Amino acid sequence: MGLLNGLMGHASAVPVEKLTKEFQPILLDDEQIEKAFRLIRDMLVFTNKRLIVVNKQGITGSKIEYQSVPYASIKMFSKESAGMLDFDAELKIWLTGEASPTIKQEFRKGDNVNEAYKVLSRYVLK
């Protein structure tokens, strides 16, 4: 189901252990990955310091953009849970100075969106 969910545009959880080596060059010495969610090739990576939005580009995905979003720049966030006939949930994040959500991510039905929401709550609501 993981591949099918990815193809349908739904984020699925990625084990943190699998990302440690890939992200080591860009993480600070005291920074740890808390949670990560993959959508086909792109990812949302929540650390104890920031949100990293990963955008793999091109056919091979060898060109990668890492967008760092400090939690302090997030002014609002919301989650929309999956409904009875609507099988996906959505996470929306507004950054300071933006009228509409800058980051939108769909999650499959289940607890994944709640996990992302909890990490945001822990760091944005300090």
Side-chain angles (χ1 to χ4, degrees):
M1 282 300 274
L3 177 62
L4 181 59
N5 281 315
L7 292 174
M8 293 178 65
H10 301 126
S12 56
V14 179
V16 171
E17 303 80 40
K18 288 187 174 185
L19 301 175
T20 304
K21 185 177 179 180
E22 178 184 348
F23 283 85
Q24 195 58 43
I26 65 169
L27 294 178
L28 299 172
D29 291 338
D30 61 341
E31 187 174 18
Q32 297 90 34
I33 297 173
E34 299 273 330
K35 294 281 182 185
F37 302 93
R38 181 180 310 276
L39 170 68
I40 305 175
R41 299 184 308 176
D42 299 340
M43 280 192 290
L44 293 178
V45 179
F46 296 89
T47 77
N48 60 322
K49 304 239 179 235
R50 60 186 158 167
L51 167 61
I52 302 171
V53 180
V54 181
N55 180 8
K56 292 191 177 182
Q57 303 169 7
I59 295 171
T60 63
S62 59
K63 183 176 180 180
I64 305 171
E65 175 187 18
Y66 296 91
Q67 179 184 18
S68 289
V69 180
Y71 291 123
S73 70
I74 297 174
K75 74 171 180 181
M76 184 170 73
F77 55 98
S78 71
K79 78 172 185 99
E80 183 179 301
S81 61
M84 198 163 192
L85 298 174
D86 183 14
F87 297 113
D88 57 345
E90 188 173 34
L91 179 70
K92 296 177 186 174
I93 301 171
W94 286 260
L95 300 180
T96 303
E98 299 294 327
S100 57
T102 307
I103 300 167
K104 290 183 185 181
Q105 182 64 62
E106 286 188 2
F107 287 75
R108 67 178 179 220
K109 191 171 185 174
D111 289 334
N112 283 343
V113 72
N114 291 330
E115 291 175 30
Y117 196 81
K118 283 181 184 179
V119 174
L120 281 171
S121 296
R122 185 177 316 125
Y123 292 111
V124 173
L125 302 177
K126 283 187 172 182

